[in-house]
Structure formats: C-alpha cells, structure tokens
Amino acid sequence: MPRTSSPVRAHCRALWIAAALLPGAAFAAAPPAAAAPAVLAWEAGDTPAALEGWVKQRLQRADAAVARLLAVKGARSVDNTLAVYDEAYDALYDAQAQSSVLYGVGATKELRDKAQALTQSASAALTALNLNPEVYRALAAVPAPADAGVRHYLEHTLLEYRLAGVDKDAATRARIKALQDKITERGLAFERAVHDDVRSISVDQSQLGGLPQDFLDSHKPDASGKVKITTDPPDAYPALKFADNEDLRHRLWLVDHQVAYPANTDNLRGLLEARHELAHVLGFATWADFAMADQMIGSPAKLKEFLKQVDTATREPGAREDAALLAFVQQKNPAIQKIPAADARYWQEQYRRAKFNFDSQSVRPYFPYPAVERGVLDTAGRLFHVQIKPVAGLKTWHPSVTTYEVFDGSRKLGTIYLDMHPREGKDKWFSTSALNQGVEGRQLPRGALVCNFPGGIAADPGLMQYGDVVVFLHEFGHLMHHIIGGQHRFAGQGAFNIEGDFVEAPSQMLEEFFHDYGVLSTFARHYQTQQVLPRELYERMTRADTYPRSSDQLRQLMYATASLNYHSADPAQLNFDAVWKEAFERYNSTAYNPGDHFWASFTHLNGYSSNYYTYVLDKVIALDFFAQFDPHKLIGLPTGMRYRHTVLAPGATRPAGALVHDFLGRDMSLEAYRKWLLAEFEPSATASSSAR
Ligand SMILES: [Zn+2]
C-alpha cells in the first residue's frame, strides 16, 4: 500500500493520512457486544464511545493477526504470511477509512472530534505495521507466488516497506514514526480548519440581480432586508458566476479565498516541515521526490517534462480564449486592462452566453437532483453492465443517506452509500470513500460518495448546474472503480491501492459521457413539465462547454505547479503567498489579488501533497481512453465491457501503466487531449446519440 497516503479517499479530496504513534490515552471501554459484530462503524452505534469501541476491535484484530504471522514456524507461504498480513491491513484500513468518513460527515461535533482522533490512531497503527521489520522479513521470505496478481501485491508491498524506511535502525524508525504522526496531525488540523470556517457576506436584496430564481427563493432577506451568502459551494459558486453586482462578487470572492487564513499558516508550515524532514530521513532530496518514487510519473524531473508538454499544448489556445474574453469585457468597459480574478467566472459566463447563445441557468431545470441521481446510476449500470438497485434497511450515519447494491446478474458486487447534500458541520467538498475493501469469498466492497449538491430539503427541487452533473459522474467513476475492482483475493489488491496518480483516470473518463445526447436524454427532463432536454439546447450547451477548456487546463497546471513548489523546497524558507502568486501569474491572465490566500483552504495540499498533477496526467489518459469508444454508440458496444475488464476489474493486481497499455494497445498519447482542447468553439465530437 502507498506509504505516503492512505488509499482511503483516493479521489478528489483525498485525505493524506500517513500516521502517528498511538496516543497514550487508553481507549474507552468497548460497548457491550452485540449479537453480531458490527461490520460498519455506524452499525455499532452513533456515539463517540461506540465508534471508539468499534475502532478498538479492529486494532485488536490487526494485532492478533500480526502475532499469528510472527508465530509461524517453518516455511513462509502466501497462506501463512501474506494472507495474514492482509487481514491486519484490512482491519486497520476499515478503522481508518470509516473514522475518516465520520470525521467528515458525523452527525455531532463530539462524534466528528472523536472520529478525527481515531483516524489518527488507526493511521498510527497502519504506519506501525508498515514499519515493522519483523513483518517485513516474514513477507520477504515468502517465495514468489505463481499467481501474477498475488506476486505483484507481494512485490509492491515489499517495495513500500523499503521506501517507508523499514531497513533503518530503531532510532531512525522511531523518528520516522514521530514525523508521520506529525504529518497526520497537522494534515487533519489543516482540513478541520477549512471545514469549520464558513464565512459569509451580507448583501442588500437589491444586489442579487442576475442570480437564478431558486437561489433567490432560498435566500430570503432578514428583517433588515439583508441576505446572507456563505462560502459553501452551493452558495458561493452560483453567486460568483451569476451575480451582476461587482461589489457582491468581489467581497464574496475575497472571503472565499481567505477561508482558514491565517489559521492554516501554522498548520501548513508544520505539515510541510514534517514532510521535508521525513523525505530527508528516507534519503530523498525533497518530499516531491519521495512522493513520486512509487507513482506512474516516477520523479519530479519526469513530471516537469510532462507538464511542459501539457503547457505547450494548452498555452496557445488558452491565450486565444483569454484574449477573446478580454476583448469582450473591454466592449462593456474599455477601462479594464486586466480582469480581476474575482470576476473571471462571471465574465466567462457572460461571454459564453453571448458567444454561444447559451445561458447555463437555462439547463438547470432539466437537472433536478433526484432525476440526475437515477440517470447517473442508470448510465453507469448500462455502461459497465451492472445493475444498481436501491436497498432499504441499512443503517447509515445520517437519515439523508441513501443506499444501493451493485449486481452483476445475480452476483452481488458491493454496496454504495450516497450522502449528497450539504448540512451543518459536514465536509464541504465532493469525494469518494472506500468504506471497506473487498475480499473474495469473505466481504464485498462498500463505498460512499460524500457530496454537496443542491437539494435534499423540502421545497427545493435541487436544480443542479450542469457542471454539478459532471462532478457526479466523476465521483461515480471512482465508486465503480472501487466496487468493480474490489473482487480479489486480498484487500490490498483493491482498486484504490493502485498507483495514486492513476486514480483520477476512471473518474475523468466517466465525465465525458455527459456530452452524449443519447445518455443525457434518458434523464434530463424539466422538473415541472417533464419535457426532455431539447436537442437544440443540448447542442448549444455542448458547444458552450468547450469554453474555456484551455484556460481551465492552465488553471489545473497552476494547482499542479503550486503543489509541486510547496513540496520542492525547505519549508522554513517558503513564503506561501509568494509561491501561490507565482503559480497564479504564470497560468492566469486575470489580475492577482494580494488578499488571495487560497492555499489556506486548498485541502489538496493535505490530500495530494505534491501530486496534484494527478488530475492533469489522468485527464490525458481519460481522454485517450474515451477516444476508444465509438462516438456514435457510446453505450452498448463491447468497448464498455472491455474497459470494465481491462481497466477497472484488475484493481491493484497490476501496475497502472500496464492497464493503460492493455486497453489502448499502446502507451498513452497526448493526441486525444490536444484534439479535445482544439475542439474549442465546435460541437463536441460526441454529439451523437447512443442506443439505450
Ligand atoms: Zn476524483
């Protein structure tokens, strides 16, 4: 398993869990044993004590497995060593994964606090396992297994042990553990500061021009005629995109880009310092060198080469987009020489409307949340040849969570949990979590989506931006990867154990299906009239969606570059604002705002650390994958099944590069990506129907 991150939330907003020494405090007493042991944390009860008892059981199970593994006399084998190691890993994975989920979604502050502490404890135990020299020696003594997937798992595990520093002396290993401890603790504190810091502005009702009606309906003025707009995505995103009032946009953008600032200055400093020192202890020049050593990309030098290729592909079309936007804005206001960063989304939306005769609000009535949910599940089901059926009666962490089972014919593949709307105290982002891994014949994989889409409250139809629908597909791509790729002999062969810089490929691949009318017309219906999304409106939307493709990619390069730079130097010398500003100005034509401290709420710095590039690399791979499908019949031809078998089903039984090569029949290429960028202002190549 990855030594630098847990695969627990290998996705959009992965929690970078490394580890810690177990806190000295003893666990509270476990609750009285129930008739059947709870498989999931929330089945044990919804109190902090119940969670603690449940986690303790997993840690004890792992300890027992390690003791059994070390007690083996005679020849080492897969059965008496690797299988027992996997049991320990599986128990700790569950403890860490589910604590981590409850830390984001737990119903009470007390529960979230406890879940935060327990995430750290479980991480500590995982680190201890992966630094245990006796376990390492036992695994190293297992003869090469005949099964290629098992052999890969064993070899990869041994590699991770070596990279983790298992061969260092006892004092160095203790230092490594202490640093891992600090990394986990600072990382959690960094994320927590973001979760807990919802800012808002108060505006006059008269300033709400341009905002959609349902936004106005859910933002009624108080007694003094003021309306509150928060930095939560369902509030801030539409406001920054649609509000005609410049003052509103500027104030909201500024508070949004100051979330967790200055609180996270110390958290980030502590996090980066611990990472930097750990990299040194392990023999790497920087954290970035360390974090890329076991990834597809291999090293920061190779990454820079790759980023340069993407930069070359993106720069010129991006500059054309930016020039066109500026010319458009200057027609309205000749005094503007540079568009303020706070206005970028607004002007892009205005330009898109004018250029493509498309108002993104016009499609929102066709995307009410409940219908979109059914549509995404149905599309994934048809594409991957699985059946996704609602299941009642499962205990969850909150009454609003819905549950489904995934089947392949009569064979059940796993269970999924959807927690899709914002609520007080809940994680603000969009992520996929593996709740547990699959182990053939013993347990099926379970996964959860934690999102913040509109809807979920009475009287709100939950009209989604079309970009929300794309995010939904993205997250569902992760979920399908986890479920379909979690059908192996060992937990450690599950999909999220694959190289971290491959995990965003299956998710971004599924995003592309949004652009197909055959797919969309199965569920995009007007929430009042039930009319299907008109083809003509779809075509304008698809054309408009090609803008601003290149500047969006440049923004991804900005995040990738900033993430790399935060992890490529001695953190004591880093000026966080300066690093951010440099990346911003390199990849944006809008004006940098000195009040911009976005890095303080950029939780990917915890989750992905230096490896944000994953999104760009995987976009290139995802588009290459998608280009293998027949644009005239995306669903229903053998390609979907071939993709499922070649890319998703292997989970982590093979290196990611081999999966890519197998599906494409060659190494990946930037060709499909370049074509996609240059599809600018043209209808999508996939603007065709696919048979249901
Ligand atoms: Zn993702």
Coordinates of all heavy atoms in Angstrom, one line a residue, residues 168-217:
K168 N 15.9 0.9 8.2 CA 16.6 1.9 9.0 C 16.8 1.3 10.5 O 16.0 0.4 10.9 CB 15.9 3.2 9.1 CG 15.6 3.8 7.8 CD 16.8 4.4 7.1 CE 16.4 5.0 5.7 NZ 17.5 5.2 4.8
D169 N 17.7 1.9 11.2 CA 17.9 1.4 12.6 C 16.7 1.9 13.5 O 15.9 2.7 13.0 CB 19.2 1.9 13.2 CG 19.3 3.4 13.2 OD1 18.3 4.1 13.7 OD2 20.3 4.0 12.8
A170 N 16.6 1.3 14.7 CA 15.5 1.5 15.5 C 15.2 3.0 15.8 O 14.1 3.5 15.8 CB 15.6 0.7 16.8
A171 N 16.3 3.7 16.1 CA 16.1 5.2 16.4 C 15.6 5.9 15.2 O 14.7 6.8 15.4 CB 17.5 5.7 16.8
T172 N 16.1 5.6 14.0 CA 15.6 6.3 12.8 C 14.1 6.0 12.6 O 13.3 6.8 12.2 CB 16.4 5.9 11.6 OG1 17.8 6.1 11.9 CG2 16.1 6.8 10.4
R173 N 13.8 4.7 12.8 CA 12.4 4.3 12.6 C 11.5 5.0 13.6 O 10.3 5.4 13.3 CB 12.2 2.8 12.8 CG 12.8 2.0 11.6 CD 12.2 0.6 11.5 NE 12.1 -0.1 12.7 CZ 13.0 -0.9 13.3 NH1 14.2 -1.0 12.7 NH2 12.8 -1.5 14.5
A174 N 11.9 5.2 14.8 CA 11.1 6.0 15.8 C 10.9 7.4 15.3 O 9.9 8.0 15.5 CB 11.8 5.9 17.2
R175 N 12.0 8.0 14.8 CA 11.9 9.3 14.2 C 10.9 9.4 13.1 O 10.1 10.3 13.0 CB 13.3 9.8 13.8 CG 13.3 11.3 13.3 CD 13.0 12.2 14.4 NE 12.8 13.6 13.9 CZ 11.9 14.4 14.4 NH1 11.2 14.1 15.5 NH2 11.6 15.6 13.9
I176 N 11.0 8.4 12.2 CA 10.0 8.3 11.1 C 8.6 8.3 11.6 O 7.7 9.0 11.1 CB 10.3 7.1 10.2 CG1 11.6 7.3 9.5 CG2 9.2 6.8 9.2 CD1 12.1 6.0 8.8
K177 N 8.4 7.5 12.6 CA 7.0 7.4 13.2 C 6.6 8.7 13.7 O 5.4 9.1 13.6 CB 6.9 6.3 14.2 CG 6.7 4.9 13.7 CD 6.8 3.9 14.7 CE 5.4 3.5 15.3 NZ 5.5 2.4 16.3
A178 N 7.5 9.3 14.4 CA 7.1 10.6 15.0 C 6.8 11.7 14.0 O 5.8 12.4 14.1 CB 8.3 11.1 15.9
L179 N 7.5 11.6 12.9 CA 7.2 12.6 11.8 C 5.9 12.2 11.1 O 5.1 13.1 10.7 CB 8.4 12.6 10.8 CG 9.7 13.2 11.2 CD1 10.8 12.9 10.3 CD2 9.5 14.8 11.3
Q180 N 5.7 11.0 10.9 CA 4.4 10.5 10.3 C 3.2 11.0 11.2 O 2.2 11.5 10.7 CB 4.3 9.0 10.2 CG 5.3 8.4 9.2 CD 4.8 8.5 7.7 OE1 4.0 9.4 7.4 NE2 5.2 7.7 6.9
D181 N 3.5 10.9 12.5 CA 2.5 11.3 13.5 C 2.2 12.8 13.3 O 1.0 13.2 13.2 CB 3.1 11.1 14.9 CG 2.1 11.5 16.0 OD1 1.0 11.8 15.7 OD2 2.6 11.6 17.1
K182 N 3.2 13.6 13.1 CA 3.0 15.0 13.0 C 2.3 15.3 11.7 O 1.5 16.2 11.6 CB 4.4 15.7 13.1 CG 4.2 17.2 13.2 CD 5.5 17.9 13.4 CE 5.3 19.4 13.3 NZ 6.5 20.2 13.0
I183 N 2.7 14.6 10.6 CA 2.1 14.8 9.3 C 0.6 14.6 9.4 O -0.2 15.4 8.9 CB 2.7 13.9 8.2 CG1 4.2 14.4 7.9 CG2 1.9 13.9 7.0 CD1 5.0 13.4 7.1
T184 N 0.2 13.5 10.0 CA -1.2 13.2 10.1 C -1.9 14.3 10.9 O -3.0 14.8 10.5 CB -1.4 11.8 10.8 OG1 -0.7 10.8 10.2 CG2 -2.9 11.5 10.9
E185 N -1.3 14.6 12.0 CA -2.0 15.6 12.9 C -2.1 16.9 12.3 O -3.2 17.5 12.3 CB -1.1 15.6 14.2 CG -1.8 16.3 15.4 CD -1.4 17.8 15.4 OE1 -0.2 18.1 15.1 OE2 -2.2 18.6 15.6
R186 N -1.0 17.4 11.7 CA -1.1 18.7 11.0 C -2.1 18.7 9.8 O -2.8 19.7 9.6 CB 0.3 19.2 10.5 CG 1.3 19.5 11.6 CD 1.0 20.8 12.3 NE 0.1 20.6 13.5 CZ -0.5 21.5 14.2 NH1 -0.3 22.8 13.9 NH2 -1.2 21.2 15.2
G187 N -2.1 17.6 9.1 CA -3.0 17.5 8.0 C -4.4 17.5 8.4 O -5.2 18.2 7.7
L188 N -4.7 16.8 9.4 CA -6.1 16.8 9.9 C -6.5 18.2 10.4 O -7.6 18.7 10.2 CB -6.3 15.8 11.0 CG -6.3 14.3 10.5 CD1 -6.2 13.3 11.7 CD2 -7.5 14.0 9.7
A189 N -5.6 18.8 11.1 CA -5.9 20.2 11.6 C -6.1 21.1 10.4 O -7.0 22.0 10.5 CB -4.7 20.6 12.5
F190 N -5.3 21.0 9.4 CA -5.4 21.8 8.2 C -6.8 21.7 7.6 O -7.5 22.6 7.3 CB -4.4 21.4 7.2 CG -4.3 22.3 5.9 CD1 -3.5 23.4 5.9 CD2 -5.0 21.9 4.8 CE1 -3.5 24.2 4.7 CE2 -5.0 22.7 3.6 CZ -4.2 23.9 3.6
E191 N -7.3 20.4 7.4 CA -8.6 20.2 6.8 C -9.7 20.7 7.8 O -10.7 21.2 7.3 CB -8.8 18.7 6.6 CG -7.8 18.1 5.6 CD -8.4 17.2 4.6 OE1 -9.6 16.9 4.7 OE2 -7.7 16.8 3.6
R192 N -9.5 20.4 9.1 CA -10.5 20.8 10.0 C -10.7 22.3 10.0 O -11.9 22.8 10.1 CB -10.1 20.3 11.4 CG -11.1 20.5 12.5 CD -12.3 19.6 12.2 NE -13.4 19.8 13.2 CZ -13.6 19.1 14.3 NH1 -12.7 18.2 14.6 NH2 -14.6 19.4 15.1
A193 N -9.7 23.0 9.9 CA -9.8 24.5 9.9 C -10.6 24.9 8.7 O -11.4 25.9 8.8 CB -8.4 25.1 9.9
V194 N -10.5 24.2 7.6 CA -11.3 24.6 6.4 C -12.8 24.2 6.6 O -13.7 25.0 6.4 CB -10.8 23.9 5.2 CG1 -11.6 24.2 3.9 CG2 -9.3 24.2 4.9
H195 N -13.0 23.0 7.1 CA -14.4 22.6 7.4 C -15.1 23.6 8.3 O -16.3 23.9 8.1 CB -14.5 21.2 8.2 CG -13.9 20.1 7.4 ND1 -13.8 18.8 8.0 CD2 -13.4 20.0 6.2 CE1 -13.3 18.0 7.1 NE2 -13.0 18.7 6.1
D196 N -14.4 24.0 9.3 CA -15.1 24.7 10.4 C -15.2 26.2 10.1 O -15.8 26.9 10.9 CB -14.3 24.5 11.7 CG -14.5 23.1 12.3 OD1 -15.3 22.4 11.7 OD2 -13.8 22.7 13.2
D197 N -14.6 26.6 9.0 CA -14.6 28.1 8.8 C -15.5 28.5 7.6 O -15.0 28.6 6.5 CB -13.1 28.5 8.5 CG -13.0 30.0 8.4 OD1 -14.0 30.7 8.7 OD2 -11.9 30.5 8.1
V198 N -16.7 28.5 7.9 CA -17.7 29.0 6.8 C -17.8 30.5 7.0 O -18.2 31.0 8.0 CB -19.1 28.4 7.0 CG1 -20.0 28.9 5.9 CG2 -18.9 26.9 6.8
R199 N -17.4 31.2 6.0 CA -17.5 32.7 6.0 C -18.7 33.1 5.2 O -19.3 32.4 4.4 CB -16.2 33.3 5.5 CG -15.1 32.9 6.4 CD -13.9 33.7 6.3 NE -12.8 33.1 7.1 CZ -11.6 33.7 7.3 NH1 -11.3 34.9 6.8 NH2 -10.7 33.1 8.0
S200 N -19.1 34.4 5.4 CA -20.3 34.9 4.7 C -20.2 36.4 4.5 O -19.4 37.0 5.2 CB -21.5 34.5 5.4 OG -21.6 35.2 6.7
I201 N -21.0 36.8 3.5 CA -21.1 38.3 3.4 C -22.6 38.5 3.5 O -23.5 37.7 3.3 CB -20.6 38.8 2.0 CG1 -21.3 38.1 0.9 CG2 -19.1 38.6 1.9 CD1 -21.1 38.8 -0.5
S202 N -22.9 39.8 3.9 CA -24.3 40.2 4.0 C -24.5 41.2 2.9 O -23.8 42.2 2.8 CB -24.5 40.8 5.4 OG -25.8 41.3 5.4
V203 N -25.5 41.0 2.0 CA -25.7 42.0 0.9 C -27.1 42.5 1.0 O -28.0 41.8 1.5 CB -25.4 41.3 -0.4 CG1 -24.0 40.9 -0.5 CG2 -26.3 40.2 -0.7
D204 N -27.3 43.6 0.3 CA -28.7 44.1 0.2 C -29.4 43.3 -0.9 O -28.8 42.9 -1.9 CB -28.6 45.6 -0.3 CG -29.8 46.3 0.0 OD1 -30.0 46.8 1.2 OD2 -30.7 46.4 -0.9
Q205 N -30.7 43.1 -0.6 CA -31.5 42.4 -1.6 C -31.4 42.9 -3.0 O -31.4 42.2 -4.0 CB -33.0 42.4 -1.1 CG -33.8 41.3 -1.7 CD -35.2 41.3 -1.2 OE1 -35.6 42.3 -0.5 NE2 -36.0 40.4 -1.6
S206 N -31.2 44.2 -3.1 CA -31.2 44.8 -4.4 C -29.9 44.5 -5.2 O -29.8 44.7 -6.4 CB -31.2 46.4 -4.2 OG -30.0 46.8 -3.6
Q207 N -28.9 43.8 -4.5 CA -27.7 43.4 -5.2 C -27.7 42.1 -5.8 O -26.7 41.6 -6.3 CB -26.5 43.5 -4.2 CG -26.2 44.9 -3.7 CD -25.0 44.8 -2.7 OE1 -25.1 44.3 -1.6 NE2 -23.9 45.4 -3.1
L208 N -28.9 41.4 -5.7 CA -29.0 40.0 -6.2 C -29.3 39.8 -7.6 O -29.5 38.7 -8.1 CB -30.0 39.2 -5.3 CG -29.6 39.2 -3.8 CD1 -30.7 38.4 -3.0 CD2 -28.3 38.6 -3.6
G209 N -29.3 40.9 -8.4 CA -29.6 40.8 -9.8 C -28.7 39.8 -10.5 O -27.5 39.7 -10.3
G210 N -29.3 39.0 -11.5 CA -28.6 38.0 -12.2 C -28.6 36.6 -11.6 O -28.3 35.6 -12.3
L211 N -28.9 36.6 -10.3 CA -29.0 35.2 -9.7 C -30.3 34.5 -10.0 O -31.3 35.1 -10.2 CB -28.8 35.4 -8.2 CG -27.3 35.6 -7.8 CD1 -27.2 36.3 -6.4 CD2 -26.6 34.3 -7.8
P212 N -30.2 33.2 -10.1 CA -31.3 32.4 -10.5 C -32.5 32.5 -9.5 O -32.2 32.7 -8.3 CB -30.8 31.0 -10.7 CG -29.5 31.0 -10.1 CD -29.0 32.4 -10.0
Q213 N -33.7 32.2 -9.9 CA -34.8 32.4 -9.1 C -34.8 31.4 -7.8 O -35.1 31.8 -6.7 CB -36.1 32.1 -9.9 CG -37.4 32.4 -9.1 CD -37.5 33.8 -8.6 OE1 -37.2 34.8 -9.4 NE2 -37.9 34.0 -7.4
D214 N -34.3 30.2 -8.1 CA -34.3 29.3 -6.9 C -33.3 29.7 -5.9 O -33.4 29.4 -4.7 CB -34.2 27.8 -7.3 CG -32.9 27.6 -8.1 OD1 -32.7 28.2 -9.2 OD2 -32.0 26.9 -7.6
F215 N -32.2 30.4 -6.3 CA -31.3 30.9 -5.4 C -31.9 32.0 -4.6 O -31.8 32.1 -3.3 CB -30.1 31.5 -6.1 CG -28.9 31.9 -5.3 CD1 -27.8 31.1 -5.0 CD2 -28.9 33.2 -4.6 CE1 -26.8 31.5 -4.2 CE2 -27.9 33.6 -3.8 CZ -26.8 32.8 -3.6
L216 N -32.7 32.9 -5.2 CA -33.4 34.0 -4.5 C -34.4 33.4 -3.6 O -34.6 33.8 -2.4 CB -34.1 34.9 -5.6 CG -33.2 35.5 -6.6 CD1 -34.1 36.4 -7.6 CD2 -32.2 36.4 -5.9
D217 N -35.1 32.3 -4.0 CA -36.1 31.7 -3.2 C -35.5 31.1 -1.9 O -36.1 31.1 -0.8 CB -36.8 30.5 -3.9 CG -37.7 31.1 -5.0 OD1 -38.0 32.3 -5.0 OD2 -38.1 30.3 -5.9

